[in-house]
Each structure stands twice: as C-alpha cells, then as structure tokens.
Amino acid sequence: MKDARIHSICIAKERGQLKKEVEEANVIKDLGIEGDGHCGSWGRQVTCLNWGSVVKSNEEHHLGMGPGDFAENICIENMDALDLQTGDKFMLGDSVVLQVSQIGKPDHPSIVTKTFGVTLLPFEGRFCRVLQGGMIKKGDPVYKM
C-alpha cells in the first residue's frame, strides 16, 4: 500500500470561489484553515479530496484541472487507501487531527460546475472538523487514526 501524503493545500478568502494553492497553512482547532472563507464553527471547516480523483476526472473529461479547481482545501495522494468514513479521525503531518463530519454534500450550481462543467466534492469530498490544529505543508504524511 502506498503512503498517503498531502499533495496540495488551497484556500480562498471567500466562500463560493475557486481556491489558490499555498505551500503551507495554519490549521486552527474548531475553525479551519487560517485565511480560508470556510473557517467557522460548523461541520465543514476543511474539505479534503483524493488527488487520484482529480487526475481521473481530467482524463475522463479532457480537462487540465489542478489544486483548488474543485474548491477543495486539501488534496491527498492515495487518500482512497485510508478509506475515510464519517466519524473517522486522521492526522496531517505531525500535529493536525481532522474528523470526517460528512461525505459529499448537496449538489448545486457552484463556481466549479459553472466554470468547468464537472464537480467532485458533492460526491467524493470529505468534509471535516478540526480536532487539533497546527501547521501543515505539501508532502506531509497523512495517517488514519
């Protein structure tokens, strides 16, 4: 089994926008990623997506989508190997702990669908609460707890 790693970290200052990639981020307990519009006291503080799903979508739909284009916060290489289900906890790097609060969400005409005609988060996104904060960076390992 291949190790899971952070492929990319992305943020946007406001909700409803495509996200831009950053090299590292401060993840705040009970809030989310510092500087991201989804920070707050709710169940979708951080959104994770399998990088393999982005690659597959690009191949199937002849697209060139990259980090943040699906409005995700964190793309994880080999995330499917973790088999993350609602309630599962996982660690990013050496300190950040997230818990999956829901899988997918109601689909609506989001900026992603309007811009690219395809979406992944409503079907595959792992929406998470931050149980323990800290700094994360690209390449950090990801472990199921």
Side-chain angles (χ1 to χ4, degrees):
M1 176 172 84
K2 292 186 178 181
D3 293 335
R5 298 208 161 273
I6 295 176
H7 178 272
S8 56
I9 305 163
C10 302
I11 62 173
K13 294 209 180 289
E14 298 177 14
R15 292 184 188 186
Q17 302 298 314
L18 299 179
K19 298 185 184 290
K20 300 292 183 197
E21 189 172 8
V22 296
E23 290 296 313
E24 61 182 15
N26 182 29
V27 182
I28 304 167
K29 180 181 178 180
D30 296 324
L31 284 177
I33 298 177
E34 185 176 7
D36 187 66
H38 284 90
C39 261
S41 295
W42 68 316
R44 297 193 332 223
Q45 296 168 345
V46 176
T47 305
C48 299
L49 189 61
N50 185 10
W51 176 246
S53 295
V54 175
V55 172
K56 182 179 176 184
S57 183
N58 281 337
E59 292 170 356
E60 289 178 354
H61 301 284
H62 308 288
L63 298 169
M65 296 180 75
D69 287 342
F70 281 106
E72 79 287 349
N73 289 119
I74 301 172
C75 264
I76 301 173
E77 294 176 21
N78 303 311
M79 187 173 98
D80 52 340
L82 300 174
D83 188 32
L84 296 173
Q85 301 301 314
T86 303
D88 287 349
K89 297 174 187 174
F90 61 106
M91 181 175 274
L92 305 172
D94 59 6
S95 62
V96 174
V97 177
L98 303 181
Q99 183 174 35
V100 179
S101 57
Q102 70 183 68
I103 299 173
K105 65 175 187 162
D107 194 12
H108 61 84
S110 68
I111 185 81
V112 176
T113 306
K114 291 176 187 174
T115 304
F116 301 106
V118 63
T119 189
L120 290 176
L121 290 184
F123 309 102
E124 297 184 28
R126 295 315 195 256
F127 297 91
C128 305
R129 292 188 55 82
V130 180
L131 301 183
Q132 181 174 304
M135 293 297 295
I136 56 171
K137 64 184 182 310
K138 289 175 65 166
D140 276 350
V142 180
Y143 304 98
K144 189 172 181 179
M145 298 177 75

PDB file of all heavy atoms in Angstrom, residues 32-58:
ATOM      1  N   GLY A  32     -10.753  25.847  11.247  1.00  0.00           N
ATOM      2  CA  GLY A  32     -10.391  25.505   9.878  1.00  0.00           C
ATOM      3  C   GLY A  32      -9.030  26.059   9.523  1.00  0.00           C
ATOM      4  O   GLY A  32      -8.190  26.296  10.387  1.00  0.00           O
ATOM      5  N   ILE A  33      -8.812  26.309   8.229  1.00  0.00           N
ATOM      6  CA  ILE A  33      -7.526  26.794   7.749  1.00  0.00           C
ATOM      7  C   ILE A  33      -7.517  28.320   7.791  1.00  0.00           C
ATOM      8  O   ILE A  33      -8.403  28.965   7.211  1.00  0.00           O
ATOM      9  CB  ILE A  33      -7.231  26.283   6.324  1.00  0.00           C
ATOM     10  CG1 ILE A  33      -7.164  24.754   6.327  1.00  0.00           C
ATOM     11  CG2 ILE A  33      -5.936  26.884   5.795  1.00  0.00           C
ATOM     12  CD1 ILE A  33      -6.957  24.125   4.967  1.00  0.00           C
ATOM     13  N   GLU A  34      -6.516  28.867   8.458  1.00  0.00           N
ATOM     14  CA  GLU A  34      -6.382  30.323   8.572  1.00  0.00           C
ATOM     15  C   GLU A  34      -6.382  30.963   7.179  1.00  0.00           C
ATOM     16  O   GLU A  34      -5.683  30.507   6.273  1.00  0.00           O
ATOM     17  CB  GLU A  34      -5.078  30.664   9.294  1.00  0.00           C
ATOM     18  CG  GLU A  34      -4.889  32.126   9.561  1.00  0.00           C
ATOM     19  CD  GLU A  34      -3.634  32.406  10.374  1.00  0.00           C
ATOM     20  OE1 GLU A  34      -2.826  31.473  10.621  1.00  0.00           O
ATOM     21  OE2 GLU A  34      -3.473  33.560  10.762  1.00  0.00           O
ATOM     22  N   GLY A  35      -7.234  31.986   7.010  1.00  0.00           N
ATOM     23  CA  GLY A  35      -7.317  32.693   5.733  1.00  0.00           C
ATOM     24  C   GLY A  35      -8.313  32.122   4.751  1.00  0.00           C
ATOM     25  O   GLY A  35      -8.507  32.677   3.675  1.00  0.00           O
ATOM     26  N   ASP A  36      -8.965  31.013   5.097  1.00  0.00           N
ATOM     27  CA  ASP A  36      -9.942  30.409   4.191  1.00  0.00           C
ATOM     28  C   ASP A  36     -11.362  30.819   4.583  1.00  0.00           C
ATOM     29  O   ASP A  36     -11.693  30.885   5.772  1.00  0.00           O
ATOM     30  CB  ASP A  36      -9.833  28.879   4.221  1.00  0.00           C
ATOM     31  CG  ASP A  36     -10.719  28.224   3.176  1.00  0.00           C
ATOM     32  OD1 ASP A  36     -10.448  28.418   1.977  1.00  0.00           O
ATOM     33  OD2 ASP A  36     -11.685  27.542   3.557  1.00  0.00           O
ATOM     34  N   GLY A  37     -12.195  31.083   3.602  1.00  0.00           N
ATOM     35  CA  GLY A  37     -13.559  31.543   3.822  1.00  0.00           C
ATOM     36  C   GLY A  37     -14.469  30.545   4.519  1.00  0.00           C
ATOM     37  O   GLY A  37     -15.550  30.912   4.975  1.00  0.00           O
ATOM     38  N   HIS A  38     -14.054  29.287   4.601  1.00  0.00           N
ATOM     39  CA  HIS A  38     -14.891  28.285   5.257  1.00  0.00           C
ATOM     40  C   HIS A  38     -14.574  28.118   6.738  1.00  0.00           C
ATOM     41  O   HIS A  38     -15.146  27.261   7.397  1.00  0.00           O
ATOM     42  CB  HIS A  38     -14.786  26.944   4.531  1.00  0.00           C
ATOM     43  CG  HIS A  38     -15.547  26.925   3.257  1.00  0.00           C
ATOM     44  ND1 HIS A  38     -14.991  27.296   2.069  1.00  0.00           N
ATOM     45  CD2 HIS A  38     -16.834  26.615   2.995  1.00  0.00           C
ATOM     46  CE1 HIS A  38     -15.904  27.205   1.113  1.00  0.00           C
ATOM     47  NE2 HIS A  38     -17.036  26.796   1.658  1.00  0.00           N
ATOM     48  N   CYS A  39     -13.638  28.918   7.251  1.00  0.00           N
ATOM     49  CA  CYS A  39     -13.349  28.889   8.696  1.00  0.00           C
ATOM     50  C   CYS A  39     -14.617  29.227   9.460  1.00  0.00           C
ATOM     51  O   CYS A  39     -15.371  30.111   9.067  1.00  0.00           O
ATOM     52  CB  CYS A  39     -12.290  29.937   9.029  1.00  0.00           C
ATOM     53  SG  CYS A  39     -10.651  29.284   9.189  1.00  0.00           S
ATOM     54  N   GLY A  40     -14.861  28.532  10.540  1.00  0.00           N
ATOM     55  CA  GLY A  40     -16.016  28.833  11.374  1.00  0.00           C
ATOM     56  C   GLY A  40     -16.425  27.639  12.211  1.00  0.00           C
ATOM     57  O   GLY A  40     -15.889  26.544  12.056  1.00  0.00           O
ATOM     58  N   SER A  41     -17.385  27.854  13.070  1.00  0.00           N
ATOM     59  CA  SER A  41     -17.883  26.797  13.961  1.00  0.00           C
ATOM     60  C   SER A  41     -18.994  26.019  13.264  1.00  0.00           C
ATOM     61  O   SER A  41     -20.170  26.244  13.520  1.00  0.00           O
ATOM     62  CB  SER A  41     -18.391  27.411  15.266  1.00  0.00           C
ATOM     63  OG  SER A  41     -17.331  27.987  15.966  1.00  0.00           O
ATOM     64  N   TRP A  42     -18.607  25.111  12.397  1.00  0.00           N
ATOM     65  CA  TRP A  42     -19.568  24.267  11.695  1.00  0.00           C
ATOM     66  C   TRP A  42     -18.864  22.990  11.263  1.00  0.00           C
ATOM     67  O   TRP A  42     -17.686  22.811  11.531  1.00  0.00           O
ATOM     68  CB  TRP A  42     -20.228  25.022  10.562  1.00  0.00           C
ATOM     69  CG  TRP A  42     -19.348  25.390   9.379  1.00  0.00           C
ATOM     70  CD1 TRP A  42     -18.084  25.903   9.419  1.00  0.00           C
ATOM     71  CD2 TRP A  42     -19.686  25.281   8.010  1.00  0.00           C
ATOM     72  NE1 TRP A  42     -17.625  26.117   8.152  1.00  0.00           N
ATOM     73  CE2 TRP A  42     -18.584  25.747   7.258  1.00  0.00           C
ATOM     74  CE3 TRP A  42     -20.810  24.834   7.330  1.00  0.00           C
ATOM     75  CZ2 TRP A  42     -18.585  25.773   5.864  1.00  0.00           C
ATOM     76  CZ3 TRP A  42     -20.804  24.881   5.939  1.00  0.00           C
ATOM     77  CH2 TRP A  42     -19.703  25.349   5.230  1.00  0.00           C
ATOM     78  N   GLY A  43     -19.563  22.093  10.617  1.00  0.00           N
ATOM     79  CA  GLY A  43     -19.020  20.774  10.304  1.00  0.00           C
ATOM     80  C   GLY A  43     -18.170  20.690   9.063  1.00  0.00           C
ATOM     81  O   GLY A  43     -17.559  19.655   8.815  1.00  0.00           O
ATOM     82  N   ARG A  44     -18.110  21.756   8.270  1.00  0.00           N
ATOM     83  CA  ARG A  44     -17.330  21.695   7.022  1.00  0.00           C
ATOM     84  C   ARG A  44     -16.181  22.705   7.069  1.00  0.00           C
ATOM     85  O   ARG A  44     -16.041  23.555   6.208  1.00  0.00           O
ATOM     86  CB  ARG A  44     -18.242  21.936   5.824  1.00  0.00           C
ATOM     87  CG  ARG A  44     -19.285  20.862   5.705  1.00  0.00           C
ATOM     88  CD  ARG A  44     -20.069  20.768   4.418  1.00  0.00           C
ATOM     89  NE  ARG A  44     -20.255  21.947   3.646  1.00  0.00           N
ATOM     90  CZ  ARG A  44     -21.400  22.304   3.073  1.00  0.00           C
ATOM     91  NH1 ARG A  44     -22.481  21.568   3.245  1.00  0.00           N
ATOM     92  NH2 ARG A  44     -21.485  23.388   2.339  1.00  0.00           N
ATOM     93  N   GLN A  45     -15.347  22.579   8.083  1.00  0.00           N
ATOM     94  CA  GLN A  45     -14.235  23.510   8.284  1.00  0.00           C
ATOM     95  C   GLN A  45     -13.108  23.294   7.277  1.00  0.00           C
ATOM     96  O   GLN A  45     -12.464  24.243   6.842  1.00  0.00           O
ATOM     97  CB  GLN A  45     -13.700  23.371   9.708  1.00  0.00           C
ATOM     98  CG  GLN A  45     -14.738  23.769  10.739  1.00  0.00           C
ATOM     99  CD  GLN A  45     -14.354  23.372  12.152  1.00  0.00           C
ATOM    100  OE1 GLN A  45     -13.461  22.561  12.384  1.00  0.00           O
ATOM    101  NE2 GLN A  45     -15.048  23.961  13.109  1.00  0.00           N
ATOM    102  N   VAL A  46     -12.857  22.039   6.915  1.00  0.00           N
ATOM    103  CA  VAL A  46     -11.802  21.689   5.965  1.00  0.00           C
ATOM    104  C   VAL A  46     -12.348  20.634   5.016  1.00  0.00           C
ATOM    105  O   VAL A  46     -12.982  19.665   5.448  1.00  0.00           O
ATOM    106  CB  VAL A  46     -10.547  21.137   6.688  1.00  0.00           C
ATOM    107  CG1 VAL A  46      -9.494  20.684   5.684  1.00  0.00           C
ATOM    108  CG2 VAL A  46      -9.968  22.178   7.640  1.00  0.00           C
ATOM    109  N   THR A  47     -12.087  20.820   3.728  1.00  0.00           N
ATOM    110  CA  THR A  47     -12.555  19.881   2.716  1.00  0.00           C
ATOM    111  C   THR A  47     -11.366  19.155   2.104  1.00  0.00           C
ATOM    112  O   THR A  47     -10.414  19.787   1.648  1.00  0.00           O
ATOM    113  CB  THR A  47     -13.311  20.621   1.595  1.00  0.00           C
ATOM    114  OG1 THR A  47     -14.350  21.387   2.174  1.00  0.00           O
ATOM    115  CG2 THR A  47     -13.890  19.648   0.603  1.00  0.00           C
ATOM    116  N   CYS A  48     -11.434  17.822   2.085  1.00  0.00           N
ATOM    117  CA  CYS A  48     -10.359  17.005   1.523  1.00  0.00           C
ATOM    118  C   CYS A  48     -10.864  16.228   0.311  1.00  0.00           C
ATOM    119  O   CYS A  48     -12.023  15.813   0.265  1.00  0.00           O
ATOM    120  CB  CYS A  48      -9.831  16.030   2.568  1.00  0.00           C
ATOM    121  SG  CYS A  48      -9.131  16.835   4.023  1.00  0.00           S
ATOM    122  N   LEU A  49      -9.964  16.046  -0.644  1.00  0.00           N
ATOM    123  CA  LEU A  49     -10.298  15.340  -1.879  1.00  0.00           C
ATOM    124  C   LEU A  49      -9.113  14.468  -2.267  1.00  0.00           C
ATOM    125  O   LEU A  49      -7.957  14.842  -2.051  1.00  0.00           O
ATOM    126  CB  LEU A  49     -10.595  16.365  -2.980  1.00  0.00           C
ATOM    127  CG  LEU A  49     -11.170  15.874  -4.287  1.00  0.00           C
ATOM    128  CD1 LEU A  49     -12.522  15.182  -4.098  1.00  0.00           C
ATOM    129  CD2 LEU A  49     -11.331  17.050  -5.256  1.00  0.00           C
ATOM    130  N   ASN A  50      -9.398  13.321  -2.844  1.00  0.00           N
ATOM    131  CA  ASN A  50      -8.363  12.410  -3.316  1.00  0.00           C
ATOM    132  C   ASN A  50      -7.741  12.970  -4.598  1.00  0.00           C
ATOM    133  O   ASN A  50      -8.455  13.235  -5.569  1.00  0.00           O
ATOM    134  CB  ASN A  50      -8.982  11.036  -3.572  1.00  0.00           C
ATOM    135  CG  ASN A  50      -7.954   9.990  -3.945  1.00  0.00           C
ATOM    136  OD1 ASN A  50      -6.762  10.195  -3.850  1.00  0.00           O
ATOM    137  ND2 ASN A  50      -8.445   8.843  -4.380  1.00  0.00           N
ATOM    138  N   TRP A  51      -6.423  13.167  -4.614  1.00  0.00           N
ATOM    139  CA  TRP A  51      -5.754  13.679  -5.809  1.00  0.00           C
ATOM    140  C   TRP A  51      -5.989  12.742  -6.994  1.00  0.00           C
ATOM    141  O   TRP A  51      -6.141  13.184  -8.131  1.00  0.00           O
ATOM    142  CB  TRP A  51      -4.256  13.883  -5.547  1.00  0.00           C
ATOM    143  CG  TRP A  51      -3.527  14.310  -6.782  1.00  0.00           C
ATOM    144  CD1 TRP A  51      -2.579  13.611  -7.462  1.00  0.00           C
ATOM    145  CD2 TRP A  51      -3.710  15.539  -7.502  1.00  0.00           C
ATOM    146  NE1 TRP A  51      -2.165  14.321  -8.552  1.00  0.00           N
ATOM    147  CE2 TRP A  51      -2.830  15.516  -8.609  1.00  0.00           C
ATOM    148  CE3 TRP A  51      -4.525  16.646  -7.327  1.00  0.00           C
ATOM    149  CZ2 TRP A  51      -2.757  16.564  -9.520  1.00  0.00           C
ATOM    150  CZ3 TRP A  51      -4.443  17.694  -8.236  1.00  0.00           C
ATOM    151  CH2 TRP A  51      -3.573  17.644  -9.317  1.00  0.00           C
ATOM    152  N   GLY A  52      -6.072  11.449  -6.745  1.00  0.00           N
ATOM    153  CA  GLY A  52      -6.338  10.492  -7.819  1.00  0.00           C
ATOM    154  C   GLY A  52      -7.661  10.756  -8.520  1.00  0.00           C
ATOM    155  O   GLY A  52      -7.791  10.528  -9.727  1.00  0.00           O
ATOM    156  N   SER A  53      -8.650  11.261  -7.799  1.00  0.00           N
ATOM    157  CA  SER A  53      -9.945  11.608  -8.415  1.00  0.00           C
ATOM    158  C   SER A  53      -9.817  12.798  -9.349  1.00  0.00           C
ATOM    159  O   SER A  53     -10.487  12.857 -10.378  1.00  0.00           O
ATOM    160  CB  SER A  53     -10.984  11.907  -7.331  1.00  0.00           C
ATOM    161  OG  SER A  53     -11.247  10.754  -6.581  1.00  0.00           O
ATOM    162  N   VAL A  54      -8.956  13.740  -8.998  1.00  0.00           N
ATOM    163  CA  VAL A  54      -8.712  14.892  -9.876  1.00  0.00           C
ATOM    164  C   VAL A  54      -8.055  14.421 -11.172  1.00  0.00           C
ATOM    165  O   VAL A  54      -8.482  14.789 -12.267  1.00  0.00           O
ATOM    166  CB  VAL A  54      -7.833  15.955  -9.169  1.00  0.00           C
ATOM    167  CG1 VAL A  54      -7.483  17.091 -10.125  1.00  0.00           C
ATOM    168  CG2 VAL A  54      -8.528  16.486  -7.924  1.00  0.00           C
ATOM    169  N   VAL A  55      -7.038  13.573 -11.041  1.00  0.00           N
ATOM    170  CA  VAL A  55      -6.340  13.037 -12.214  1.00  0.00           C
ATOM    171  C   VAL A  55      -7.314  12.262 -13.107  1.00  0.00           C
ATOM    172  O   VAL A  55      -7.346  12.451 -14.330  1.00  0.00           O
ATOM    173  CB  VAL A  55      -5.158  12.146 -11.780  1.00  0.00           C
ATOM    174  CG1 VAL A  55      -4.547  11.416 -12.964  1.00  0.00           C
ATOM    175  CG2 VAL A  55      -4.111  12.979 -11.051  1.00  0.00           C
ATOM    176  N   LYS A  56      -8.130  11.407 -12.506  1.00  0.00           N
ATOM    177  CA  LYS A  56      -9.105  10.611 -13.263  1.00  0.00           C
ATOM    178  C   LYS A  56     -10.127  11.504 -13.969  1.00  0.00           C
ATOM    179  O   LYS A  56     -10.453  11.291 -15.142  1.00  0.00           O
ATOM    180  CB  LYS A  56      -9.832   9.642 -12.320  1.00  0.00           C
ATOM    181  CG  LYS A  56     -10.824   8.737 -12.999  1.00  0.00           C
ATOM    182  CD  LYS A  56     -11.477   7.789 -12.002  1.00  0.00           C
ATOM    183  CE  LYS A  56     -12.538   6.947 -12.663  1.00  0.00           C
ATOM    184  NZ  LYS A  56     -13.242   6.106 -11.708  1.00  0.00           N
ATOM    185  N   SER A  57     -10.617  12.529 -13.269  1.00  0.00           N
ATOM    186  CA  SER A  57     -11.578  13.457 -13.869  1.00  0.00           C
ATOM    187  C   SER A  57     -10.957  14.193 -15.052  1.00  0.00           C
ATOM    188  O   SER A  57     -11.598  14.384 -16.092  1.00  0.00           O
ATOM    189  CB  SER A  57     -12.071  14.453 -12.820  1.00  0.00           C
ATOM    190  OG  SER A  57     -13.044  15.303 -13.362  1.00  0.00           O
ATOM    191  N   ASN A  58      -9.699  14.592 -14.914  1.00  0.00           N
ATOM    192  CA  ASN A  58      -9.002  15.255 -16.022  1.00  0.00           C
ATOM    193  C   ASN A  58      -8.920  14.346 -17.247  1.00  0.00           C
ATOM    194  O   ASN A  58      -9.149  14.798 -18.375  1.00  0.00           O
ATOM    195  CB  ASN A  58      -7.592  15.679 -15.596  1.00  0.00           C
ATOM    196  CG  ASN A  58      -7.585  16.951 -14.784  1.00  0.00           C
ATOM    197  OD1 ASN A  58      -8.499  17.765 -14.859  1.00  0.00           O
ATOM    198  ND2 ASN A  58      -6.540  17.119 -13.986  1.00  0.00           N
TER     199      ASN A  58
END
